[in-house]
Amino acid sequence: MAEHSTPKLAVWKFASCDGCQLSLLDCEDELLAVAGAVEIAHFLEASSAVVEGPYDVSLVEGSVTTPQDAERIQEVRRVSRHLVAIGACATAGGIQALRNFTAVDELASVVYAHPEYLSTLETCTPISAHVPVDFELRGCPVDRGQLLEVLSAFLRKRKPDIRTHSVCLECKRRGNVCVMVAHGTGCLGPVTQAGCSAICPSFERGCYGCFGPMETPNTASLSAALHAGGMDGGTVMRLFRTFNATAPAFEAASRAEEKGAGRL
Amino acid sequence: MAPSAPTDYHPVVLDRPGLQSLIDALVTDGRRVIGPTVRDGAVVYDEITQIGELPGGWGDDQGPGRYRLRRRDDDLLFGYAVGPDSWKRFLFPPVSTTWRAEVSREGVEVAPPAEVPRYAFLGVRACELAAIAVQDRVLVQTNYPDRDYAARREQALFIAVNCSSPATTCFCPSMGTGPRVGSGHDLALTEIPDPAGSRFLVEIGSERGAAIAARLATREAAPADREAAAAVWSGAAAAVSRALQADGLKDVLVHNLEHPRWDTVASRCLACANCTMVCPTCFCADFREAASLSPDHAEQHRTWATCFSVDHSQLHGGSMRWTTRSRYRQWMTHKLATWHDQFGTSGCVGCGRCIAWCPVGIDITEEAATIRATDGLTRLPAGATP
Ligand code: SF4
Ligand code: SF4
Ligand code: SF4
Ligand code: SF4
């Protein structure tokens, strides 16, 4: 690749914990290759030097929760050729979107001594609710291997090879014993998108759904199976209401439990 | 495979220390012995070197969507029915590298294929030998053999163990594949219960098997040993409770592609693909180039894939099977119907894994029986997308 065409990469933060950006820093050896292949032009977590836009690829972490952020994301979109939303916050609102299930004023008055100083939006929303997004990379946090895949795909101008099927495929390939079938542990793996290499079932825990809904999530059937396994409605509701609570399929599943439905 | 018929050899008897000597002999020959062992609440297949690693005294309770280990009231080493693993994990691994290449000034250099491990499989069941024969048809007896599978298969030694304790999910007699081992083995063991420690009737299935048996301290089988082994065989056959009426099933299924039962099962099916992952005959795999930021290195991986994913039927313009209904139907009709046209055999050997390991307990035998019982029903209203 000729020097003058070294692509510029920017990393932006919205309401988030920085975990996804740290996944990029955690790529150690590969990051050297990234640094060789791209000019890291805006990445405050890694360096305080900032290079002017426009940028070839912008990685955006976090959700939009304030009026200021709602404006800033428009600016980020304007200076980015490709905008990739990374992580549960940027793709589905993240854990802070739990506030969407209740009145934000009430929450603020309980949490803050002077809620009048707050300027916050009524709901917490993913990046795609504000601007067009070129790719959404799931996970809380994102998987470093998948992040490198998406980066190299955008740098090479090809489609990222990110699979949208269930976690169960990865779980079985890895040789895990299914916690749902063999232990009776509730697991969201069958309705959750792969990408994490089935970390939780590998430690005999049920999947928490942090990669969000898979391509064709049948949450009603899984909820029925969880009930049959002895889980009550509140537990099933909370299972769907964590990192991707406002991803449409998971939100519908948790709301169905709220109304006491979903009990076949 | 050695051509000699098993009848050329007389069965012999091996005691428990003799079974350890068998494992030792295989290890001495440079083989990796893979056998059953208990891990995370199930009997799985893994490398073993000691009979103490076998699931001594463990059995299992299985049903649709349910598997639990259970203590037996004896200490049989092989008193379990098949668990989530099959030998596919070793002959056709979940992820393998098909090739790798380096680019340099001199050009592209493709690395030679990695050497395959020399396995000895201990505890192979009759249905599993049948499943391997099915995979042989798909992956070896074709114009485009899978080199890696063929090499692993050729090297491997098969020490079968006849089932004594089928699960409620098993239906091998319906598929003509078990529970008694008939062919494909180098040695076939039958574990004979004995309060003083079980012993094994050893039937020899090949010259390789005979050569190994000759190195062990065995004795000629006495009539009492044969009778005791026969009791194990008939007891196992009698213990199988599930059935699938296989005759004419292909016609029934292909004539009922618009049956409403496909909608019913689709409302339960998670499209999670556990059934295809645990099925010992499912062979679908993706071949994909692995991600690398370095422009000098390329490699391709073969990974277990499934007809339950939307992109399995991706063609130009989109997926052919967008609905779970069409994907479940693909899975079941492939196993039980169209496999016959493609490979001259059923794609199902009756192991029951897909029933036990389906998180919502969908039962292929029940689905097939329901469609047969209501042959000719078509869904109403017509015109919904397939
Ligand atoms: S443990 Fe969870 S993710 Fe793994 S196969 Fe079972 S249901 Fe799927
Ligand atoms: S379809 Fe089910 S019962 Fe038949 S071989 Fe596959 S896993 Fe076993
Ligand atoms: S049933 Fe599906 S996964 Fe299995 S071999 Fe057929 S198409 Fe492949
Ligand atoms: S039949 Fe069961 S195991 Fe197979 S895809 Fe459907 S829910 Fe998953």
Side-chain angles (χ1 to χ4, degrees):
Chain A
M1 211 174 282
E3 280 304 312
H4 66 270
S5 68
T6 305
K8 280 195 212 167
L9 174 73
V11 185
W12 309 90
K13 177 184 160 61
F14 285 77
S16 62
C17 74
D18 285 21
C20 290
Q21 293 191 56
L22 291 176
S23 296
L24 185 60
L25 278 178
D26 186 34
C27 292
E28 295 150 18
D29 297 349
E30 299 93 331
L31 198 60
L32 291 173
V34 173
V38 298
E39 182 184 356
I40 300 184
H42 184 100
F43 187 5
L44 293 177
E45 193 70 66
S47 147
S48 52
V50 176
V51 179
E52 286 284 292
Y55 305 100
D56 294 278
V57 180
S58 275
L59 299 178
V60 179
E61 176 197 89
S63 55
V64 176
T65 58
T66 64
Q68 294 81 352
D69 278 355
E71 278 168 35
R72 190 160 61 98
I73 189 61
Q74 300 296 336
E75 181 57 25
V76 169
R77 178 70 265 191
R78 262 194 295 283
V79 297
S80 309
R81 176 165 305 173
H82 299 294
L83 190 158
V84 178
I86 60 168
C89 302
T91 59
I95 203 140
Q96 56 273 28
L98 284 172
R99 73 181 210 198
N100 297 4
F101 292 90
T102 178
V104 75
D105 297 346
E106 259 172 56
L107 274 185
S109 67
V110 175
V111 174
Y112 296 100
H114 292 284
E116 63 274 19
Y117 296 146
L118 285 183
S119 165
T120 188
L121 296 169
E122 185 57 33
T123 56
C124 161
T125 42
I127 301 302
S128 63
H130 300 265
V131 295
V133 169
D134 296 296
F135 194 81
E136 291 191 320
L137 184 63
R138 305 276 196 83
C140 185
V142 293
D143 173 80
R144 56 202 288 279
Q146 288 206 326
L147 186 55
L148 284 171
E149 163 58 21
V150 168
L151 269 181
S152 48
F154 275 97
L155 294 175
R156 301 247 168 87
K157 301 183 167 48
R158 63 172 172 83
K159 193 176 164 222
D161 181 15
I162 300 296
R163 314 303 309 279
T164 54
H165 56 59
S166 73
V167 174
C168 299
L169 269 97
E170 294 186 313
C171 194
K172 279 286 184 291
R173 285 186 199 130
R174 197 164 164 166
N176 291 339
V177 172
C178 177
V179 301
M180 184 110 173
V181 168
H183 308 170
T185 301
C187 182
L188 289 187
V191 295
T192 299
Q193 181 168 309
C196 65
S197 307
I199 301 172
C200 295
S202 305
F203 290 94
E204 298 192 52
R205 304 293 300 261
C207 164
Y208 295 100
C210 76
F211 273 58
M214 52 84 93
E215 54 195 13
T216 54
N218 188 347
T219 51
S221 176
L222 184 67
S223 294
L226 294 172
H227 286 306
M231 235 186 231
D232 64 30
T235 310
V236 175
M237 186 188 81
R238 282 188 293 278
L239 199 53
F240 281 110
R241 205 169 276 185
T242 56
F243 315 94
N244 290 277
T246 55
F250 284 4
E251 179 167 352
S254 76
R255 290 210 187 273
E257 297 299 322
E258 239 175 20
K259 292 180 206 130
R263 239 167 272 224
L264 297 186
Chain B
M1 282 292 114
S4 312
T7 46
D8 293 356
Y9 302 102
H10 295 292
V12 293
V13 171
L14 197 64
D15 58 12
R16 278 197 178 191
L19 184 67
Q20 181 62 54
S21 314
L22 169 61
I23 296 174
D24 295 341
L26 296 167
V27 171
T28 304
D29 290 351
R31 292 188 178 275
R32 290 178 61 190
V33 180
I34 311 292
T37 193
V38 168
R39 177 181 28 91
D40 298 341
V43 173
V44 299
Y45 297 151
D46 213 335
E47 186 154 5
I48 58 160
T49 56
Q50 304 296 322
I51 58 171
E53 295 169 273
L54 295 168
W58 286 107
D60 45 78
D61 291 319
Q62 302 192 41
R66 190 185 153 82
Y67 177 103
R68 290 291 185 280
L69 280 181
R70 165 178 62 78
R71 270 283 167 204
R72 295 177 59 93
D73 47 22
D74 57 30
D75 69 343
L76 289 192
L77 298 176
F78 297 93
Y80 59 87
V82 292
D85 281 346
S86 71
W87 307 98
K88 173 170 100 169
R89 182 167 294 285
F90 300 92
L91 293 174
F92 191 71
V95 182
S96 64
T97 303
T98 41
W99 54 260
R100 55 178 105 232
E102 302 295 333
V103 187
S104 66
R105 275 182 217 281
E106 284 74 50
V108 178
E109 196 183 331
V110 180
E115 251 186 64
V116 299
R118 288 182 76 222
Y119 287 125
F121 298 137
L122 173 62
V124 187
R125 305 300 196 180
C127 64
E128 301 188 299
L129 289 166
I132 292 162
V134 170
Q135 285 217 321
D136 286 349
R137 288 193 185 222
V138 176
L139 297 168
V140 184
Q141 293 153 32
T142 145
N143 291 337
Y144 305 101
D146 186 294
R147 193 174 50 189
D148 184 67
Y149 174 89
R152 286 166 186 261
R153 171 77 177 88
E154 189 55 39
Q155 292 269 15
L157 194 86
F158 294 86
I159 302 180
V161 175
N162 279 298
C163 270
S164 63
S165 315
T168 67
T169 40
C170 296
F171 57 102
C172 55
S174 300
M175 308 315 286
T177 59
R180 172 96 159 91
V181 171
S183 63
H185 57 288
D186 293 294
L187 295 175
L189 277 49
T190 301
E191 185 170 25
I192 300 170
D194 189 325
S198 54
R199 62 188 192 280
F200 298 90
L201 183 91
V202 182
E203 297 169 282
I204 293 161
S206 73
E207 277 174 20
R208 292 196 305 183
I212 285 170
R215 290 158 61 191
L216 306 173
T218 58
R219 64 170 169 80
E220 189 86 2
D225 300 314
R226 293 170 188 251
E227 275 163 34
V232 171
W233 304 332
S234 58
V240 174
S241 56
R242 193 172 299 267
L244 176 72
Q245 195 188 336
D247 62 285
L249 185 56
K250 182 194 147 187
D251 287 337
V252 171
L253 292 178
V254 300
H255 289 123
N256 283 286
L257 297 180
E258 295 303 324
H259 198 284
R261 184 69 185 189
W262 302 117
D263 296 291
T264 320
V265 69
S267 71
R268 295 174 61 206
C269 178
L270 306 164
C272 64
N274 274 300
C275 47
T276 60
M277 296 291 109
V278 295
C279 180
T281 68
C282 273
F283 57 84
C284 281
D286 271 338
F287 293 81
R288 284 167 185 256
E289 282 63 49
S292 161
L293 278 172
S294 151
D296 316 329
H297 179 82
E299 61 183 71
Q300 191 192 52
H301 295 164
R302 186 194 68 194
T303 309
W304 285 358
T306 176
C307 54
F308 280 97
S309 74
V310 171
D311 66 0
H312 186 268
S313 59
Q314 179 78 26
L315 295 178
H316 174 74
S319 172
M320 297 267 292
R321 302 189 199 106
W322 180 253
T323 62
T324 299
R325 171 182 185 268
S326 63
R327 280 177 275 142
Y328 183 87
R329 187 178 63 186
Q330 156 62 24
W331 137 260
M332 199 174 115
T333 56
H334 193 208
K335 301 265 87 167
L336 299 176
T338 51
W339 205 293
H340 287 280
D341 301 327
Q342 237 182 325
F343 306 113
T345 175
S346 170
C348 174
V349 297
C351 72
R353 286 183 180 88
C354 57
I355 303 171
W357 297 96
C358 171
V360 294
I362 292 172
D363 174 353
I364 190 171
T365 64
E366 185 191 340
E367 296 309 312
T370 304
I371 290 179
R372 188 192 281 273
T374 51
D375 188 1
L377 274 190
T378 47
R379 66 202 301 220
L380 286 173
T385 44

